[in-house]
Amino acid sequence: MEILIIVIYLLLSTGGLILIKLGANSVSLGINQGIFNCSISLTSILGLICYIGSFLIFTFVLVKKFDLTYLMPIVTGISQIVVILAGVFVFKEHISRYGIIGIISVILGIVLMNIK
């Protein structure tokens, strides 16, 4: 059950970031004649909802169930890798040789931390 909660957290967190970036081009904030104007796309709103959901799950569920020394490296490492892969495949961003070495280092670190 704990693994399922971690997976849901990771999906909401990374999915939220991806949706926010997808909708970022249509977001506008400003003040016009003393009136605050805000225009946010539906994609960005869904991303914010996902990201807030991930924050709530992390704060009120995961922090209670796991040691932070175990939880933080694993979820941050996995989410960083997923976001990098989304950048490459969804947004067509370039990843350098050093980025690939970094990803491999993160994966090795997660594996090493979980050896009992």
Side-chain angles (χ1 to χ4, degrees):
M1 182 64 170
E2 286 99 8
I3 300 297
L4 179 62
I5 295 170
I6 291 174
V7 169
I8 291 170
Y9 163 76
L10 288 169
L11 289 173
L12 288 174
S13 177
T14 57
L17 286 172
I18 293 165
L19 288 170
I20 289 169
K21 180 152 175 87
L22 282 171
N25 289 335
S26 59
V27 174
S28 66
L29 299 171
I31 297 176
N32 189 11
Q33 298 177 347
I35 298 173
F36 178 73
N37 295 318
C38 177
S39 173
I40 300 175
S41 69
L42 180 60
T43 306
S44 291
I45 291 171
L46 290 173
L48 287 170
I49 291 169
C50 287
Y51 207 69
I52 290 168
S54 74
F55 172 77
L56 294 173
I57 289 172
F58 182 82
T59 304
F60 297 111
V61 179
L62 293 178
V63 170
K64 285 182 184 180
K65 290 188 179 280
F66 296 97
D67 293 336
L68 286 177
T69 55
Y70 169 78
L71 177 69
M72 286 305 296
I74 291 174
V75 296
T76 55
I78 293 171
S79 65
Q80 297 245 345
I81 291 168
V82 171
V83 168
I84 289 169
L85 293 174
V88 170
F89 293 112
V90 176
F91 302 110
K92 307 299 183 216
E93 298 174 355
H94 177 72
I95 185 166
S96 69
R97 178 178 340 162
Y98 294 111
I100 293 169
I101 293 170
I103 290 171
I104 292 168
S105 299
V106 168
I107 293 169
L108 287 174
I110 292 170
V111 169
L112 287 174
M113 286 188 65
N114 287 298
I115 294 175
K116 301 223 178 207

